[in-house]
Amino acid sequence: MYRRWLWPASALPGVLWLVLLFVVPFYAVLAVALGTVDPILFQPVPTWNPLEWNVGWLNEVFTRLAPGGIWFDVGVRTIVYVVIALALCLLIGYPVAYYTARHAGRWKGLILILIIMPLWISYMMRMLAWVNLLQEDGWVNEVLMFTQVLSEPQDWLGGRDLTVILALVYGYIPFLILPLFAALDRIDRSHLEAARDLGASPWSAFRRVTLPLSKTGILGGAVLITLPMFGDYYTPNIVSGAPSTSMIGNQIDLYFHGGPQPTIGAALTIVLAAFLTILMLYYMRTIHRAQREAGTVGAL
Amino acid sequence: MTHHPKERPNSLSRRGFLLRSAGAAAAVSGAGPLLAACGSTTSESNGAGGEGPGGLPLARPDKRVTLPRWEDPIESGLEPETGGTFTVFNYPAYFYRKLLNEFGDKYGVEVQVTPFDNINSGLQRLASGGVEPDVMEITPDTLDIGVAGELIKPLNLDYIPNLQKNIWPQLVDPFYDGESRYTVPYTCYATGIAWRTDKVTEDIAGMDQPWDIFWESQAYKGKVGLLSENRETIGMALLRKGITDINTEDPELVNQAVSDLQELYEICNVKVDDLQYQTIPEGSSWLHQAWSGDMIAGYIYYLPKGTPASALGFWRAPHGKVPVQNDCFAVCSTTKKPVLSHLFLNYLLDNGVAYENFVDFNGYQPPLNEIDPAALVREGVVPEHLENSVLTDDDLGPDSLQYGTLTSEGQQLWQDGYSNFLAGGGS
């Protein structure tokens, strides 16, 4: 009896954590999104009873996000930014994680610390530092002109898509590298040796063995950085400030930051969360399949 | 018959407001609940005809409103509270810390500043109980929320003699708060255009319609900005088309203004921020919608060494065509030090304190009788070519343009319009 409950009970803190810090807040946002607004203070009045929920705000958000709606362009722009930033993160982050896991040797710990080190400084401060570096007379232009990559200084902060995307990459890439490193570091080297023994070239061994086995790390890291990137609003604010580079998070910020329609902000949050849930489900399905293929599911 | 609040047997509770304003969630009732509860209105007019939060009449410069008191002010002659902390709820860095410390030293309290991002979100935090400040900054267009929500307390002006003594007559008994029942003025400013004279070649002040400069700013792409305030941004586009009703709730006018603003994506890749007081002097922005205090603050604090004051330009429309506003201070309902809070309001209206706060810290002008634009130039506080940044009593007269409270539907209309502009169009 004792042994029967011991291991399930060990999950209790995690379950409590999840309930308190995810389920309850998420339900509160839902109750706000489907609730009403105080007519005097314009504060959201949550409707806790699902039977009394008002889906009008959700419909309004869907209408605005649909083609022809006022948020269609900003929605598409957000997806494009996140997809490009994710691709760049993978292009940069995978080799770094691969090198650290497989070839760094005794430098592994140091490299990991260097990767984590930027996270010791707040995200906002790091972005503000980039504002200085990206000024027309900043170091970025100076270096690029000194190396003759540029013939004249560029206005990186003038409301450019590229600046926002690169800032997203810079801000989130450590969160991709760490799970990728963990996945690559776990790969049993005997698999690779077997592939090479069977005549696979290094590239073929990577493509047929390493890459598939690191898929969970890729997906885990991708989910980890994609979710916050979709809701990001301060990165475009800090490094651009132009409406032409705003993201959907800026709209949530606008409606939550005062005014008579906080429910619109909450409803948009719900729609965004639903969209991200699709990505999450794909990730969970992939993990589950990988575990089954590895024979870990059911073995317990 | 007008009832003095003291004659009412019970103060009207916030719950009372809500019950009386029952009805559609977004709209307030048409009955003017607060005024009805007072027996008869103490307002001198019905404002702009519509109703703001809690059914309060909408004040306009030519339609004065005296707000009903939801409770009695504190009695006269009480001693100020001492000890503990005294909390000022305000924009960050908008009051000289040195002066706050001096006030604290004088009354034996520790003055702390709790910052907010904007007054609307500040009021929401106050209503939610997340903060318990003693005094807060508020604006005329958000005053109705503060009063209807019982978030700020009626004042006893016996404690605030500096109001009558030092402040412009227009603001001793202002149109948005007749008899100064809830607020005292803090700073005042006009909205105009700031630019770098060494970068922008056009004679902006000489243009038939200077606001057109934003639509003719292709040469300054990436260096052009507007204020990140929905009223200011859309209001500017209305003024450009000659529409001086900057409190309009006509969807056609507001949507056309938004559509005009959207043209700026292509023309100059316009930015929205409130950093013009810094970015124009530093040269990272060349052309920006701005408040008059920005260039004074920019001149005092942000102009880099070697850059002459003449690099800063500021234009504002003539009296009656320029949006003007003033910020206010009020005593919060959450205060545990109501007497001291009154004395703080009196303190900030002291000639010496207000002037020092202006010229030594925030650059935003207090509405003091003793401030004379020419004298500020003579004393070197303001460069001669920025003398138009200094307002006078006449600027806030009955024929002035001021952003006032909108109805709930009007606020939605303007917020949605701004959201549309902020969405940035197709990239």
Side-chain angles (χ1 to χ4, degrees):
Chain A
M1 184 70 180
Y2 171 75
R3 286 173 60 87
R4 187 180 161 199
W5 290 106
L6 179 64
W7 298 116
S10 66
L12 201 59
V15 172
L16 281 175
W17 177 269
L18 203 63
V19 169
L20 285 176
L21 297 180
F22 175 71
V23 178
V24 172
F26 190 81
Y27 190 77
V29 175
L30 205 60
V32 166
L34 304 172
T36 57
V37 178
D38 181 314
I40 293 174
L41 301 168
F42 299 140
Q43 277 193 307
V45 179
T47 300
W48 299 107
N49 183 354
L51 299 174
E52 296 172 6
W53 279 350
N54 168 19
V55 295
W57 298 116
L58 273 181
N59 289 338
E60 175 67 23
V61 166
F62 280 125
T63 306
R64 293 184 188 195
L65 284 169
I70 64 171
W71 290 344
F72 178 72
D73 288 327
V74 70
V76 171
R77 186 186 311 123
T78 303
I79 292 170
V80 169
Y81 281 7
V82 171
V83 168
I84 296 175
L86 176 61
L88 287 173
C89 281
L90 282 169
L91 275 174
I92 299 166
Y94 198 99
V96 173
Y98 185 84
Y99 175 80
T100 310
R102 307 296 299 276
H103 301 293
R106 64 195 176 96
W107 301 106
K108 189 185 285 187
L110 179 65
I111 292 174
L112 282 175
I113 287 174
L114 290 174
I115 291 167
I116 295 169
M117 202 179 270
L119 304 180
W120 295 353
I121 304 166
S122 86
Y123 186 91
M124 207 73 85
M125 291 303 294
R126 284 186 284 140
M127 284 299 151
L128 287 170
W130 272 106
V131 169
N132 279 323
L133 296 172
L134 291 169
Q135 300 276 4
E136 277 187 71
D137 56 355
W139 285 9
V140 171
N141 272 331
E142 281 186 17
V143 169
L144 291 175
M145 287 170 66
F146 178 75
T147 54
Q148 299 194 328
V149 175
L150 292 178
S151 55
E152 57 183 22
Q154 293 290 306
D155 184 13
W156 298 106
L157 300 171
R160 292 179 166 206
D161 300 312
L162 179 65
T163 309
V164 177
I165 291 168
L166 290 180
L168 288 171
V169 171
Y170 166 75
Y172 291 100
I173 200 167
F175 298 105
L176 179 88
I177 292 177
L178 292 177
L180 253 177
F181 164 79
L184 288 164
D185 200 40
R186 274 201 309 266
I187 294 174
D188 190 340
R189 285 179 185 245
S190 60
H191 292 326
L192 294 171
E193 286 163 6
R196 295 299 303 278
D197 289 347
L198 291 169
S201 65
W203 167 244
S204 183
F206 170 78
R207 194 169 55 84
R208 289 167 177 266
V209 180
T210 307
L211 197 59
L213 288 176
S214 62
K215 190 177 173 185
T216 53
I218 294 172
L219 282 172
V223 166
L224 209 60
I225 66 169
T226 306
L227 301 186
M229 272 202 274
F230 267 112
D232 196 325
Y233 65 92
Y234 33 85
T235 303
N237 268 0
I238 293 173
V239 300
S240 166
S244 60
T245 59
S246 68
M247 296 172 71
I248 205 75
N250 293 94
Q251 294 291 337
I252 295 174
D253 178 48
L254 171 69
Y255 280 92
F256 268 133
H257 240 87
Q261 305 173 94
T263 40
I264 290 272
L268 185 52
T269 305
I270 295 295
V271 171
L272 191 60
F275 174 69
L276 298 176
T277 302
I278 297 169
L279 299 178
M280 200 68 187
L281 288 174
Y282 176 70
Y283 167 68
M284 289 168 70
R285 188 168 151 258
T286 308
I287 293 288
H288 185 72
R289 187 185 292 167
Q291 283 177 331
R292 204 164 47 193
E293 283 168 3
T296 52
V297 173
L300 297 173
Chain B
M1 185 178 75
T2 302
H3 285 208
H4 189 277
K6 282 187 176 175
E7 297 169 18
R8 286 189 282 134
N10 296 305
S11 294
L12 183 64
S13 68
R14 184 174 167 279
R15 182 176 171 77
F17 275 124
L18 290 169
L19 286 173
R20 286 178 175 85
S21 60
V28 293
S29 84
L34 191 145
L35 300 174
C38 293
S40 66
T41 173
T42 53
S43 72
E44 293 179 1
S45 81
N46 284 325
E51 289 177 340
L56 293 171
L58 299 175
R60 297 291 181 263
D62 59 344
K63 290 171 181 167
R64 197 164 161 276
V65 165
T66 304
L67 297 162
R69 296 184 177 98
W70 60 269
E71 70 168 14
D72 297 337
I74 58 170
E75 290 179 12
S76 301
L78 301 174
E79 286 297 313
E81 304 84 358
T82 55
T85 56
F86 182 82
T87 305
V88 178
F89 196 33
N90 194 6
Y91 285 103
Y94 199 38
F95 207 117
Y96 197 2
R97 183 73 234 181
K98 170 179 171 267
L99 296 169
L100 295 176
N101 290 343
E102 285 176 5
F103 177 79
D105 292 343
K106 186 175 179 184
Y107 292 102
V109 292
E110 186 188 337
V111 180
Q112 65 176 26
V113 176
T114 300
F116 51 62
D117 291 334
N118 61 52
I119 291 173
N120 274 314
S121 62
L123 286 168
Q124 290 193 354
R125 281 171 67 193
L126 188 61
S128 69
V131 289
E132 293 187 341
D134 294 288
V135 293
M136 76 174 291
E137 186 184 320
I138 198 164
T139 47
D141 65 326
T142 53
L143 180 58
D144 285 4
I145 296 174
V147 174
E150 298 183 2
L151 302 175
I152 57 174
K153 293 170 81 69
L155 300 177
N156 178 342
L157 298 183
D158 288 351
Y159 292 98
I160 315 174
N162 284 339
L163 177 65
Q164 192 76 41
K165 198 171 73 178
N166 299 339
I167 299 301
W168 293 342
Q170 299 279 11
L171 293 176
V172 169
D173 184 16
F175 74 91
Y176 53 84
D177 183 20
E179 301 172 17
S180 291
R181 288 185 166 190
Y182 288 92
T183 61
V184 298
Y186 175 50
T187 54
C188 57
Y189 42 91
T191 311
I193 301 171
W195 71 95
R196 283 290 297 236
T197 56
D198 53 344
K199 303 288 184 185
V200 175
T201 54
E202 288 85 349
D203 174 17
I204 293 175
M207 292 171 72
D208 289 341
Q209 174 49 277
W211 293 120
D212 277 341
I213 186 67
F214 290 106
W215 279 262
E216 296 170 12
S217 60
Q218 290 87 347
Y220 316 121
K221 202 165 188 168
K223 303 287 189 186
V224 181
L226 298 178
L227 295 169
S228 65
E229 313 279 335
N230 71 44
R231 300 300 302 276
E232 294 282 11
T233 316
I234 296 172
M236 183 272 283
L238 288 170
L239 289 169
R240 173 179 169 252
K241 288 283 176 73
I243 298 157
T244 52
D245 180 7
I246 55 174
N247 296 303
T248 182
E249 298 191 8
D250 181 342
E252 201 174 317
L253 292 179
V254 172
N255 292 335
Q256 180 57 51
V258 171
S259 178
D260 292 345
L261 288 169
Q262 288 173 321
E263 293 172 6
L264 298 177
Y265 306 147
E266 278 301 309
I267 293 171
C268 58
N269 198 13
V270 70
K271 294 179 166 194
V272 287
D273 63 64
D274 294 337
L275 300 172
Q276 61 287 345
Y277 57 88
Q278 183 177 354
T279 56
I280 290 277
E282 288 179 351
S284 56
S285 179
W286 294 352
L287 175 69
H288 209 295
Q289 190 185 17
W291 293 300
S292 51
D294 292 331
M295 286 305 97
I296 299 176
Y299 165 68
I300 297 172
Y301 294 109
Y302 295 102
L303 203 59
K305 278 183 184 168
T307 305
S310 59
L312 303 179
F314 181 75
W315 167 87
R316 66 175 165 111
H319 174 68
K321 292 184 176 174
V322 56
V324 289
Q325 294 173 81
N326 65 284
D327 289 351
C328 309
F329 258 89
V331 176
C332 299
S333 304
T334 48
T335 183
K336 303 283 193 303
K337 298 181 171 68
V339 181
L340 191 61
S341 298
H342 278 71
L343 296 184
F344 180 81
L345 267 50
N346 192 53
Y347 177 75
L348 67 87
L349 300 179
D350 175 83
N351 277 329
V353 170
Y355 187 79
E356 191 176 351
N357 191 40
F358 168 40
V359 302
D360 287 348
F361 187 67
N362 78 8
Y364 276 80
Q365 172 192 353
L368 295 179
N369 290 320
E370 70 169 24
I371 284 186
D372 169 31
L376 289 174
V377 172
R378 270 199 313 276
E379 291 161 13
V381 176
V382 177
E384 189 172 359
H385 69 287
L386 294 179
E387 186 178 337
N388 62 350
S389 298
V390 185
L391 274 66
T392 63
D393 187 22
D394 288 343
D395 286 315
L396 284 98
D399 57 345
S400 61
L401 296 187
Q402 301 200 35
Y403 293 106
T405 311
L406 301 174
T407 65
S408 182
E409 292 83 356
Q411 291 187 50
Q412 286 182 34
L413 176 69
W414 281 67
Q415 188 177 43
D416 288 343
Y418 188 67
S419 159
N420 193 359
F421 168 57
L422 206 62
S427 39

